[in-house]
Amino acid sequence: MKVLAAGVVPLLLVLHWKHGAGSPLPITPVNATCATRHPCHSNLMNQIRNQLAQLNGSANALFILYYTAQGEPFPNNLDKLCGPNVTDFPPFHANGTEKTRLVELYRIIAYLGASLGNITRDQKVLNPNALSLHSKLNATADILRGLLSNVLCRLCNKYHVAHVDVAYGPDTSGKDVFQKKKLGCQLLGKYKQVIAVVAQAF
Amino acid sequence: MALSSVSQTAFLLALLSLRTYQSEVLSEPLPSAPEFLKVSVNSTCQCLHLQWTVHNLSHHQEFRMVFQIEISRIKTSNVIWVENYTTTVKWNQVLHWSWESKLPLECAKHFIRMRSAVDTAKTPGPRVWSSWSSWEEADVQNSLGQDPLFVFPKDKLVEEGSNVTICYVSKSHQNNISCYLEGVRMQGEQLDPNVSVFNLNHVAFIRETGTNIYCKPGQGDRIKGTVLFVSKVLKEPKDFSCETQDLTTLNCTWDPGSDTGLLKQLSQSYALFESFSGKKTLCKHKSWCLWQVAPESQDMYNFTLTAENYLRKRSVHLLFNLTHRVHPMAPFNVLFKNVSATNATMTWKVHSIGKYHTLLCQVELYGEGKVTQHNVSVKVDGAHLFSGLEPDMEYMAQVRCANGDHFWKWSEWTQQNFTTAEAAPSEAPDVWRNVKTVQGRCVVTLFWKPLSKLQAHGKILFYNIVVDYLDRTSVSELLSIPAPANGTELPLSQCSSQIRIMANNSVGTSPASVIVVSREPGNEEVEEERVKGTEDGFPLSWKPQPRHVTGYLVEWCEHPQDPPCDLQWKNLGPNVTSTVVSSDAFRPGVRYNFRIYGISTERVPYLLARKTGYSQELAPSDNPQVVMTNLTSHSFTLSWKNYSTESQPSFIQGYHIYLKSKAGWCHSGSEKAVLSDDAAVCCKYKIDNPEQKTFVVENLQPESFYEFLVTPYTSVGEGPHDAFAKVTTPDEYSPTLIRIILPMVFCILLIMITCYLKSQWMKEKCYPDIPDPYKSSVLSLIKSKENPHLTIMNIKDCVPDSIEVLNKQEGTRKSLTETESTKPTYLYLLPTEKRYSSPGPCICFENFTYNQAASDSASCGHVPAPPKAPPSQLGLLTSPENLLKALEKNYMNSLGEIPAGETSLNYVSQLASPMSGDKSNLPINPPEPALCSEYKMQMAIPLGLASPPSSGSSSLSSVTLLDEGEHYH
């Protein structure tokens, strides 16, 4: 909740402050220093596109691996247990400017990274023998980290955006086991759906 | 007395004090009902937790009290549990009590109340209960949240085989909610309008990650579920045992059984407790644990091994004396000393188990295909002497030890190999020979079998051969053949000799094997007998010999078809008269020959019997190559002399000759047979003698087609009925005809050759290129027979005809030739190539075929060809047909070029009258040939244009169709 509050409050401020309410763009003063830790790659957008394509290519396999490992009723009730009903998932507008799309992508990656971390942690306990699932989750998280870094580089270098407010999904550590399985399934279903749109948009 | 009075006083004082205490207790007011009763719910264990206090207790008071607790479900009147809880209560003490509910507490409201009483168990009489406390309510449903559906309990852990109650709580008042366990629908009962419960009996372990239970409403897409963790039942550890190797550490082991670890429960843990010392240790491993033996001399140990998980605890006990559980470590430093050909000493060391203990060690020796075992008592170092060993033999020795005072377990084996030293070979080699005579000298081929390892006593390096000639006239010979040879060939100076063969290794020489070669040849006339092989081999027997023999020997070749034949032999004792020869090399369908020798006391072998046979006879695979001779119209002879009966896969008993004919009937001496291959009927002749290899097939029909086959037959069948040879008997009269026709043909040929050689002469005589009428006898023959007045025309008598070419000058168009053709031109027609220079007698005619240029030629043979005609066309004109064609062609040309009437070619016939014909066409200045006949003017036209003349100019000429005869008349 603290995280949510930390992310939502500045966002609300931004929405009211910036001309054109509803735009999720953050405000970074033009003269603000925007320094990245490492020099950005010369062909950043290509890298971002490739990473998105890679994620899009593996999202369905990850989804299938996940719900199969959870056992019945998950594989046979995907619509009811794994539907993409993630209410707080960051939005994405494919027809926005590149800057807007990059900012939204940044939020999505941040959200997904945190959620995948929860899922990976839970599945290591709930399904310790599902090694291929663990491997796929780890691989996806690795790509997300790289993508996050590249998107930040692009935002910083080209648009001088040094900071983007992000929100994260619910923490599943206090949930019961069935609820953990279900939330994870829903998140991966949403991820599969969103990443296809995002990859297409870039 | 004093003592008695003191005792009585003390008893009275004690009795008084007891009475005082009782009166005090009984005089105290009874405790009131429990107060401040608080109820809390623990959803994890589905427990109701109660806490309360008891008032009216003075500061120092302490009572043993009973609290009666009542629990109701849904409504207070529905009491589901009553329990008396007894405890000691102190002043101001908060009391606790828990109750685990079978039904998930979220599924129904629960009500709790209690009352108390002083525990009067020690004193008879009914209890006096306080009044009941007020009902306390435990309702979890109110705090569930806003979801429309809940399933309880959450993540419950139970043991396999236990009973579990599941429930769902629906806040949407839906009745058509169905619940499933691993996809199988569960049947439940409704507890209230919003709650249904499902009783699962004897739940089974499905997987370590839990069993999914879920409920879904008939409408909507919300599925709610829970995971039930079913643990395997923790079993008692099996085979719990402790032992020590060094009396300082105990190693306790057990069989843990199945793992009960789950997501919600760790694997079971093990703890070791020793009751005499009171020590306890938590084991790090699932199946074994180390216990440090106390430095003080504790002999007896009483262990309790406890296995524990979240749900259960199991224990086993073990009582033992430490010295009775000694499991020594394996011996070490095993060595062999003083290893000779037959003896070796083995030494080893053991780990000490205290100076008061003796170890019992067991020594085993493996070698020569057997095992020997010995027991040795050892304190620190052990030793054992192995004797009676075989030279040059590898042995494996092993040793293990146990506590000699109180046997518990043997240690592990410690192994070591050793090899004894070599010794001289103990046995003479098994030798046999083959004697042959080459250019008058005896040549002996010796064969011997390598000594077995037990006989050789080391590596055989060479074989010594000593030849002693029996007549003492020659010096003995000594040969040394290096190993691993198993034979050699010796040319002997004299046949009568004694040969000794000895094997040598690095230590010494074996005894000699003696074999004597006799001057006399063996008894080669022994008749060969047949023997039938069996699965076990060839059973061979022979008659016992009247004279003394030292033994018998059977000789055979294992590969008789492949030289060298791999000579084998078998030595037998003097009392043996039968044996079975077996070998893995024996093959079905191969003939094996056995020779049985008796060995005399002088070591001279002599042939006793010859046997031959097959381990298994096979039907012949090939038929003889048959040659047919003496073919007549009634018989032919078959011969297969190259067919070897010895090399066949079975004993040949004879032959069958099959003869197929269209007639289908068989003569005497044969019988009808139906071949199984093609069901053909044929005649079968039988030959019983395998050595008879010719056969005459008789009584055949001339000019008939026959097929025949010769096949051997044996006891296991006959040869293949494959390709039949074909033969057709000749005609009966053809030999006579041949005797006539051949001379005739010869004669004709002779004549033809003669004619050819004299062809020039014949040509001159019969058909010369230029017949000479004077020389022709044929002419004279005709003359004499048909017309005796016929004479041969002399060329000088011929008056040549002349052709007059007339050119009319009134036409305006003139050809080149016309300008010079103002006078008549004569063509001389010559019958042959011969030209006559003189313009004497000739035949001339005017021919429309020839143009103006041609008419200028003075000679008939030199008629110029028309401009467009090839030169050869002139030659063609000599033929009537060709001439006609040429006429057609040139006529067509001339019609276009030459106007009719301008130029004309007139035949002047010698036979026609000058006055005949149309007078207007007569030449103005006619030539005056002296002797020429006048021809009637003619014009040659093609057949198609032959029509009556219509114009005036052309009407002057008579039109005549040229035919074959008109050309040359």
Side-chain angles (χ1 to χ4, degrees), chain A residues 70-74 77 79-81 85 125-129 175-179 181-182, chain B residues 154-155 182-183 208-209 212-214 216-217 220-227 229 263-264:
Chain A
Q70 310 316 309
E72 198 54 38
F74 288 88
N77 294 275
D79 53 338
K80 296 177 180 175
L81 287 168
N85 306 318
V125 178
L126 298 177
N127 288 300
N129 299 323
K175 308 281 185 186
D176 64 83
V177 171
F178 195 88
Q179 193 69 4
K181 291 180 177 180
K182 185 179 173 182
Chain B
K154 297 290 184 190
D155 307 339
E182 289 293 319
E208 292 173 355
T209 54
N212 289 335
I213 297 170
Y214 59 98
K216 55 182 179 182
D221 57 352
R222 291 298 181 97
I223 288 183
K224 290 288 183 176
T226 185
V227 178
F229 293 93
L263 168 63
K264 296 287 290 183

Side-chain angles (χ1 to χ4, degrees), chain A residues 137-157:
Chain A
L137 284 167
N138 287 328
T140 306
D142 290 344
I143 300 170
L144 282 173
R145 272 195 291 276
L147 181 60
L148 191 73
S149 170
N150 283 338
V151 171
L152 184 61
C153 261
R154 180 73 172 174
L155 283 172
C156 187
N157 274 7

Side-chain angles (χ1 to χ4, degrees), chain A residues 2-39:
Chain A
K2 287 180 180 177
V3 175
L4 275 173
V8 171
V9 170
L11 181 64
L12 289 173
L13 287 171
V14 164
L15 290 176
H16 286 87
W17 191 10
K18 178 76 179 174
H19 174 71
S23 168
L25 289 178
I27 281 298
T28 304
V30 177
N31 296 328
T33 55
C34 180
T36 51
R37 188 173 296 174
H38 303 287

Side-chain angles (χ1 to χ4, degrees), chain B residues 793 795 798-803 826-845 850 857-863 874 877-878 967-968:
Chain B
M793 186 179 70
I795 198 166
C798 176
V799 179
D801 290 346
S802 63
I803 298 173
Y826 296 93
L827 296 178
Y828 298 94
L829 294 180
L830 299 178
T832 62
E833 302 169 329
K834 292 183 177 178
R835 298 175 185 174
Y836 298 92
S837 55
S838 61
C842 62
I843 299 171
C844 296
F845 60 89
Y850 297 99
S857 176
S859 174
C860 294
H862 289 156
V863 177
L874 181 64
L877 289 173
T878 56
H967 282 281
Y968 296 103

